[in-house]
Amino acid sequence: MNLLDNAHRPWPIPLKKWIMRQTWRNLLFTHLPLPAETLRPHIPPHLEIDTFGGNAWLGVILFVMEGIYPRGLSSLSLTPKFSEINVRTYVQCDGKPGIFFMSLDVEDSGLPIQ
């Protein structure tokens, strides 16, 4: 596969360069099929709930984030490692697919909030 071949993409690659990267470890993706009507009260009305096989899908994703690195400083993490769990579903907005996070929770690192 040629990494420069992007003809398969439905939209152009953004012109801006990436600003940071993050590393996920011990990752678990769990997806539960649900009727779209069950999720509708929890999703903003302007978003269309995406379906597959006739169902909406509720994702529960657990992982440990080991670092958030700014571009050019790959050895300097902005945070200590922490656990995260997010609950999400798949949506479309103006015909573009996306993810709607219903909950995004992280472990308390003990660092003061400023």
Side-chain angles (χ1 to χ4, degrees), residues 36-110:
E37 310 82 59
T38 302
L39 288 178
R40 175 55 30 207
H42 307 285
I43 308 301
H46 70 280
L47 297 176
E48 178 186 341
I49 297 173
D50 218 344
T51 60
F52 180 79
N55 291 304
W57 291 84
L58 183 69
V60 180
I61 293 61
L62 300 100
F63 58 94
V64 174
M65 183 152 341
E66 287 195 344
I68 299 175
Y69 300 95
R71 185 180 181 93
L73 298 173
S74 62
S75 63
L76 177 65
S77 177
L78 296 176
T79 66
K81 116 175 132 171
F82 58 88
S83 300
E84 180 174 325
I85 181 170
N86 64 61
V87 179
R88 64 197 196 173
T89 193
Y90 302 90
V91 296
Q92 289 195 25
C93 183
D94 298 327
K96 288 188 176 183
I99 297 171
F100 179 78
F101 290 90
M102 301 171 78
S103 173
L104 203 155
D105 298 288
V106 298
E107 174 183 25
D108 182 359
S109 69

Side-chain angles (χ1 to χ4, degrees), residues 26-46:
N26 303 325
L27 182 62
L28 173 69
F29 273 82
T30 304
H31 286 88
L32 307 166
L34 293 171
E37 310 82 59
T38 302
L39 288 178
R40 175 55 30 207
H42 307 285
I43 308 301
H46 70 280

